[in-house]
Short mmCIF file of all heavy atoms in Angstrom, two decimals:
data_model
loop_
_atom_site.label_atom_id
_atom_site.label_comp_id
_atom_site.label_asym_id
_atom_site.label_seq_id
_atom_site.Cartn_x
_atom_site.Cartn_y
_atom_site.Cartn_z
N TRP A 1 0.86 -1.21 -0.02
CA TRP A 1 0.02 0.02 0.00
C TRP A 1 0.92 1.26 0.00
O TRP A 1 1.97 1.17 0.39
CB TRP A 1 -1.00 -0.02 1.20
CG TRP A 1 -0.29 0.05 2.61
CD1 TRP A 1 0.24 1.00 3.26
CD2 TRP A 1 -0.33 -1.14 3.51
NE1 TRP A 1 0.68 0.68 4.49
CE2 TRP A 1 0.31 -0.59 4.58
CE3 TRP A 1 -0.96 -2.36 3.52
CZ2 TRP A 1 0.47 -1.53 5.76
CZ3 TRP A 1 -0.72 -3.15 4.57
CH2 TRP A 1 -0.10 -2.79 5.65
N PRO A 2 0.39 2.39 -0.42
CA PRO A 2 1.11 3.59 -0.58
C PRO A 2 1.53 4.08 0.80
O PRO A 2 0.89 3.92 1.86
CB PRO A 2 0.31 4.65 -1.23
CG PRO A 2 -0.78 3.81 -1.83
CD PRO A 2 -1.01 2.62 -1.08
N CYS A 3 2.82 4.67 0.94
CA CYS A 3 3.28 5.37 2.12
C CYS A 3 3.75 6.71 1.74
O CYS A 3 4.82 6.85 1.06
CB CYS A 3 4.48 4.54 2.68
SG CYS A 3 3.95 2.82 3.22
N VAL A 4 2.98 7.72 2.03
CA VAL A 4 3.12 9.09 1.58
C VAL A 4 4.04 9.90 2.58
O VAL A 4 3.77 9.86 3.74
CB VAL A 4 1.90 9.69 1.29
CG1 VAL A 4 2.05 11.17 0.86
CG2 VAL A 4 1.01 8.88 0.32
N LEU A 5 4.96 10.68 1.92
CA LEU A 5 5.78 11.51 2.79
C LEU A 5 5.46 12.97 2.39
O LEU A 5 5.60 13.35 1.24
CB LEU A 5 7.20 11.33 2.65
CG LEU A 5 7.77 9.90 3.16
CD1 LEU A 5 9.23 9.71 2.80
CD2 LEU A 5 7.53 9.82 4.64
N ILE A 6 5.03 13.82 3.31
CA ILE A 6 4.64 15.28 3.03
C ILE A 6 5.58 16.13 3.85
O ILE A 6 5.69 16.06 5.13
CB ILE A 6 3.21 15.55 3.35
CG1 ILE A 6 2.37 14.57 2.58
CG2 ILE A 6 2.93 17.04 3.11
CD1 ILE A 6 0.89 14.77 3.03
N ALA A 7 6.40 16.98 3.16
CA ALA A 7 7.34 17.83 3.91
C ALA A 7 6.73 19.10 4.18
O ALA A 7 6.10 19.80 3.44
CB ALA A 7 8.57 17.96 3.01
N GLU A 8 7.08 19.61 5.48
CA GLU A 8 6.82 21.04 5.71
C GLU A 8 8.14 21.76 5.61
O GLU A 8 9.19 21.37 6.19
CB GLU A 8 6.32 21.17 7.26
CG GLU A 8 6.05 22.72 7.46
CD GLU A 8 6.20 23.16 8.90
OE1 GLU A 8 6.69 22.34 9.68
OE2 GLU A 8 5.89 24.32 9.21
N SER A 9 8.14 22.74 4.76
CA SER A 9 9.47 23.43 4.49
C SER A 9 9.03 24.95 4.15
O SER A 9 8.11 25.19 3.47
CB SER A 9 10.27 22.89 3.36
OG SER A 9 11.31 23.74 3.04
N ASP A 10 9.85 25.96 4.62
CA ASP A 10 9.66 27.23 4.32
C ASP A 10 10.60 27.71 3.20
O ASP A 10 10.69 28.96 2.96
CB ASP A 10 9.61 28.08 5.56
CG ASP A 10 11.03 28.22 6.15
OD1 ASP A 10 12.01 27.61 5.55
OD2 ASP A 10 11.27 29.00 7.17
N GLN A 11 11.25 26.82 2.52
CA GLN A 11 12.30 27.35 1.61
C GLN A 11 11.88 27.40 0.17
O GLN A 11 12.61 27.78 -0.67
CB GLN A 11 13.56 26.21 1.71
CG GLN A 11 14.12 26.26 3.03
CD GLN A 11 15.31 25.18 3.07
OE1 GLN A 11 15.15 24.10 2.45
NE2 GLN A 11 16.31 25.50 3.80
N ASN A 12 10.61 27.02 -0.18
CA ASN A 12 10.15 27.15 -1.60
C ASN A 12 11.14 26.40 -2.49
O ASN A 12 11.54 26.95 -3.54
CB ASN A 12 10.06 28.56 -2.07
CG ASN A 12 8.74 29.13 -1.51
OD1 ASN A 12 8.14 28.73 -0.48
ND2 ASN A 12 8.36 30.30 -2.05
N LYS A 13 11.61 25.21 -2.08
CA LYS A 13 12.54 24.48 -2.82
C LYS A 13 11.94 23.22 -3.48
O LYS A 13 11.46 22.41 -2.88
CB LYS A 13 13.61 23.94 -1.88
CG LYS A 13 14.76 23.25 -2.58
CD LYS A 13 15.70 22.65 -1.48
CE LYS A 13 16.37 23.76 -0.58
NZ LYS A 13 17.41 23.14 0.29
N THR A 14 11.82 23.27 -4.69
CA THR A 14 11.15 22.07 -5.55
C THR A 14 12.03 20.91 -5.48
O THR A 14 11.45 19.73 -5.69
CB THR A 14 11.02 22.57 -7.01
OG1 THR A 14 12.25 22.89 -7.57
CG2 THR A 14 10.01 23.60 -7.24
N ARG A 15 13.35 20.99 -5.15
CA ARG A 15 14.11 19.65 -4.98
C ARG A 15 13.47 18.79 -3.84
O ARG A 15 13.62 17.60 -4.09
CB ARG A 15 15.55 20.07 -4.47
CG ARG A 15 16.45 18.86 -4.41
CD ARG A 15 17.76 19.21 -3.70
NE ARG A 15 18.60 17.94 -3.55
CZ ARG A 15 19.47 17.76 -2.65
NH1 ARG A 15 19.71 18.78 -1.83
NH2 ARG A 15 20.10 16.74 -2.52
N THR A 16 12.77 19.33 -2.97
CA THR A 16 12.13 18.55 -1.88
C THR A 16 11.20 17.45 -2.55
O THR A 16 11.21 16.31 -1.99
CB THR A 16 11.29 19.40 -0.92
OG1 THR A 16 12.24 20.34 -0.37
CG2 THR A 16 10.75 18.53 0.17
N ILE A 17 10.52 17.80 -3.63
CA ILE A 17 9.47 16.92 -4.17
C ILE A 17 9.88 16.26 -5.49
O ILE A 17 9.15 15.49 -6.01
CB ILE A 17 8.07 17.57 -4.26
CG1 ILE A 17 8.15 18.86 -5.03
CG2 ILE A 17 7.48 17.76 -2.83
CD1 ILE A 17 6.87 19.58 -5.37
N LEU A 18 11.07 16.65 -5.97
CA LEU A 18 11.53 16.03 -7.31
C LEU A 18 11.92 14.72 -6.97
O LEU A 18 12.47 14.34 -5.91
CB LEU A 18 12.55 16.85 -7.89
CG LEU A 18 12.30 18.21 -8.49
CD1 LEU A 18 13.49 18.96 -8.99
CD2 LEU A 18 11.16 18.09 -9.62
N PRO A 19 11.69 13.76 -7.93
CA PRO A 19 12.20 12.37 -7.78
C PRO A 19 13.69 12.27 -7.55
O PRO A 19 14.42 13.10 -7.97
CB PRO A 19 11.81 11.68 -9.12
CG PRO A 19 10.75 12.54 -9.65
CD PRO A 19 11.09 13.93 -9.26
N VAL A 20 14.15 11.28 -6.76
CA VAL A 20 15.56 11.06 -6.50
C VAL A 20 16.40 10.96 -7.80
O VAL A 20 17.41 11.45 -7.94
CB VAL A 20 15.74 9.82 -5.62
CG1 VAL A 20 17.17 9.51 -5.46
CG2 VAL A 20 15.08 10.01 -4.23
N ALA A 21 15.74 10.28 -8.82
CA ALA A 21 16.42 10.16 -10.11
C ALA A 21 16.76 11.45 -10.89
O ALA A 21 17.61 11.54 -11.68
CB ALA A 21 15.63 9.21 -11.05
N GLU A 22 16.00 12.46 -10.45
CA GLU A 22 16.23 13.89 -11.03
C GLU A 22 16.88 14.76 -10.07
O GLU A 22 16.86 16.02 -10.22
CB GLU A 22 14.86 14.50 -11.37
CG GLU A 22 13.98 13.62 -12.42
CD GLU A 22 12.67 14.26 -12.69
OE1 GLU A 22 12.49 15.44 -12.33
OE2 GLU A 22 11.86 13.49 -13.25
N GLY A 23 17.56 14.16 -9.06
CA GLY A 23 18.32 14.89 -8.11
C GLY A 23 17.53 15.54 -6.87
O GLY A 23 17.93 16.38 -6.20
N GLY A 24 16.30 15.14 -6.82
CA GLY A 24 15.41 15.51 -5.70
C GLY A 24 15.53 14.69 -4.49
O GLY A 24 16.30 13.70 -4.41
N LEU A 25 14.73 14.95 -3.49
CA LEU A 25 14.74 14.30 -2.19
C LEU A 25 13.65 13.23 -2.14
O LEU A 25 13.61 12.51 -1.32
CB LEU A 25 14.57 15.27 -1.06
CG LEU A 25 15.60 16.30 -0.83
CD1 LEU A 25 15.29 17.20 0.40
CD2 LEU A 25 17.04 15.54 -0.59
N GLY A 26 12.66 13.40 -3.11
CA GLY A 26 11.70 12.21 -3.30
C GLY A 26 10.53 12.32 -2.43
O GLY A 26 9.80 11.30 -2.36
N MET A 27 10.20 13.45 -1.74
CA MET A 27 8.91 13.52 -1.01
C MET A 27 7.75 13.59 -2.01
O MET A 27 7.89 14.11 -3.04
CB MET A 27 9.00 14.81 -0.16
CG MET A 27 10.13 15.00 0.83
SD MET A 27 10.04 13.86 2.25
CE MET A 27 11.37 12.89 1.72
N GLN A 28 6.69 13.06 -1.65
CA GLN A 28 5.43 13.07 -2.57
C GLN A 28 4.81 14.50 -2.63
O GLN A 28 4.08 14.81 -3.60
CB GLN A 28 4.54 12.01 -2.09
CG GLN A 28 4.70 10.56 -2.59
CD GLN A 28 5.70 9.86 -1.66
OE1 GLN A 28 6.11 10.42 -0.56
NE2 GLN A 28 5.96 8.62 -1.85
N ALA A 29 4.90 15.27 -1.50
CA ALA A 29 4.25 16.53 -1.53
C ALA A 29 4.95 17.43 -0.40
O ALA A 29 5.69 16.94 0.41
CB ALA A 29 2.75 16.38 -1.20
N GLN A 30 4.58 18.64 -0.50
CA GLN A 30 5.14 19.67 0.58
C GLN A 30 4.18 20.83 0.74
O GLN A 30 3.30 21.14 -0.08
CB GLN A 30 6.44 20.14 0.15
CG GLN A 30 6.50 21.06 -1.03
CD GLN A 30 7.88 21.73 -1.34
OE1 GLN A 30 8.45 22.41 -0.45
NE2 GLN A 30 8.36 21.46 -2.47
N TRP A 31 4.16 21.32 1.92
CA TRP A 31 3.32 22.51 2.24
C TRP A 31 3.89 23.70 1.41
O TRP A 31 5.02 23.77 1.17
CB TRP A 31 3.44 22.85 3.80
CG TRP A 31 2.67 21.86 4.64
CD1 TRP A 31 2.21 20.68 4.41
CD2 TRP A 31 1.99 22.31 5.85
NE1 TRP A 31 1.46 20.14 5.41
CE2 TRP A 31 1.32 21.13 6.31
CE3 TRP A 31 2.04 23.36 6.66
CZ2 TRP A 31 0.64 21.07 7.52
CZ3 TRP A 31 1.38 23.40 7.93
CH2 TRP A 31 0.69 22.28 8.34
N ALA A 32 2.82 24.60 1.05
CA ALA A 32 3.28 25.67 0.19
C ALA A 32 2.65 26.93 0.94
O ALA A 32 1.46 27.23 0.81
CB ALA A 32 2.71 25.57 -1.24
N ASP A 33 3.49 27.58 1.78
CA ASP A 33 2.92 28.59 2.72
C ASP A 33 2.65 29.84 2.01
O ASP A 33 1.79 30.72 2.49
CB ASP A 33 3.99 29.04 3.77
CG ASP A 33 4.01 27.89 4.84
OD1 ASP A 33 3.10 27.07 4.88
OD2 ASP A 33 5.03 27.89 5.67
N ASP A 34 3.22 30.15 0.79
CA ASP A 34 3.01 31.42 0.05
C ASP A 34 1.45 31.58 -0.24
O ASP A 34 1.02 32.69 -0.27
CB ASP A 34 3.81 31.38 -1.21
CG ASP A 34 5.25 31.75 -1.07
OD1 ASP A 34 5.70 31.82 0.16
OD2 ASP A 34 5.94 31.88 -2.03
N PHE A 35 0.80 30.46 -0.58
CA PHE A 35 -0.62 30.50 -0.82
C PHE A 35 -1.36 31.20 0.36
O PHE A 35 -2.24 32.06 0.32
CB PHE A 35 -1.22 29.21 -1.16
CG PHE A 35 -2.77 29.20 -1.48
CD1 PHE A 35 -3.12 29.39 -2.81
CD2 PHE A 35 -3.62 29.14 -0.51
CE1 PHE A 35 -4.52 29.40 -3.08
CE2 PHE A 35 -4.95 29.15 -0.77
CZ PHE A 35 -5.42 29.28 -2.10
N HIS A 36 -1.07 30.60 1.56
CA HIS A 36 -1.61 31.10 2.74
C HIS A 36 -1.34 32.49 2.99
O HIS A 36 -2.25 33.45 3.28
CB HIS A 36 -1.16 30.29 4.04
CG HIS A 36 -1.60 30.94 5.32
ND1 HIS A 36 -0.79 31.80 5.92
CD2 HIS A 36 -2.70 30.92 6.11
CE1 HIS A 36 -1.40 32.26 7.02
NE2 HIS A 36 -2.47 31.71 7.17
N HIS A 37 -0.12 32.99 2.90
CA HIS A 37 0.27 34.30 3.21
C HIS A 37 -0.32 35.30 2.20
O HIS A 37 -0.74 36.34 2.67
CB HIS A 37 1.87 34.39 3.05
CG HIS A 37 2.56 33.58 4.08
ND1 HIS A 37 1.95 32.98 5.19
CD2 HIS A 37 3.91 33.23 4.11
CE1 HIS A 37 2.94 32.24 5.76
NE2 HIS A 37 4.04 32.36 5.21
N ALA A 38 -0.44 34.94 0.95
CA ALA A 38 -1.12 35.83 -0.04
C ALA A 38 -2.55 35.93 0.32
O ALA A 38 -3.11 37.09 0.19
CB ALA A 38 -0.85 35.17 -1.43
N LEU A 39 -3.27 34.89 0.53
CA LEU A 39 -4.67 34.92 0.95
C LEU A 39 -4.92 35.76 2.21
O LEU A 39 -5.76 36.57 2.27
CB LEU A 39 -5.20 33.59 1.03
CG LEU A 39 -6.70 33.34 1.36
CD1 LEU A 39 -7.57 34.03 0.26
CD2 LEU A 39 -7.04 31.90 1.46
N HIS A 40 -4.10 35.40 3.23
CA HIS A 40 -4.31 36.01 4.54
C HIS A 40 -4.16 37.46 4.57
O HIS A 40 -4.90 38.27 5.19
CB HIS A 40 -3.23 35.34 5.51
CG HIS A 40 -3.41 35.89 7.00
ND1 HIS A 40 -4.31 35.22 7.88
CD2 HIS A 40 -2.93 36.96 7.60
CE1 HIS A 40 -4.18 35.93 9.04
NE2 HIS A 40 -3.40 36.86 8.87
N THR A 41 -3.17 37.93 3.86
CA THR A 41 -2.84 39.45 3.81
C THR A 41 -4.02 40.13 3.05
O THR A 41 -4.42 41.26 3.47
CB THR A 41 -1.59 39.78 3.18
OG1 THR A 41 -1.40 39.09 1.90
CG2 THR A 41 -0.42 39.38 4.00
N LEU A 42 -4.62 39.52 2.07
CA LEU A 42 -5.72 40.11 1.31
C LEU A 42 -7.00 40.22 2.15
O LEU A 42 -7.78 41.14 2.12
CB LEU A 42 -6.03 39.41 0.12
CG LEU A 42 -4.98 39.49 -0.99
CD1 LEU A 42 -5.39 38.54 -2.18
CD2 LEU A 42 -4.83 40.87 -1.51
N LEU A 43 -7.18 39.21 3.03
CA LEU A 43 -8.37 39.10 3.97
C LEU A 43 -8.19 40.05 5.14
O LEU A 43 -9.23 40.58 5.52
CB LEU A 43 -8.54 37.67 4.38
CG LEU A 43 -8.89 36.66 3.31
CD1 LEU A 43 -8.74 35.28 3.81
CD2 LEU A 43 -10.44 36.83 2.81
N THR A 44 -7.04 40.09 5.80
CA THR A 44 -6.91 40.82 6.98
C THR A 44 -6.14 42.22 6.84
O THR A 44 -6.34 42.98 7.73
CB THR A 44 -6.12 39.94 7.90
OG1 THR A 44 -4.68 39.83 7.44
CG2 THR A 44 -6.69 38.68 8.12
N GLY A 45 -5.46 42.45 5.77
CA GLY A 45 -4.68 43.62 5.69
C GLY A 45 -3.43 43.64 6.49
O GLY A 45 -2.68 44.68 6.46
N GLU A 46 -3.06 42.52 7.16
CA GLU A 46 -1.89 42.45 7.99
C GLU A 46 -0.59 42.45 7.09
O GLU A 46 -0.62 41.74 6.08
CB GLU A 46 -2.00 41.24 8.88
CG GLU A 46 -3.07 41.32 9.92
CD GLU A 46 -3.13 40.05 10.82
OE1 GLU A 46 -2.42 39.08 10.51
OE2 GLU A 46 -3.89 40.09 11.80
#
């Protein structure tokens, strides 16, 4: 059965999720904080 690895990282580094064969670290997914920050500032003005 699948075993998924999801990375939390604030580096905006695509290497985290690229396949190992392509020089990546091989995670299946990662958090993307920029989406939250862009949305939050528009909603709150902070």
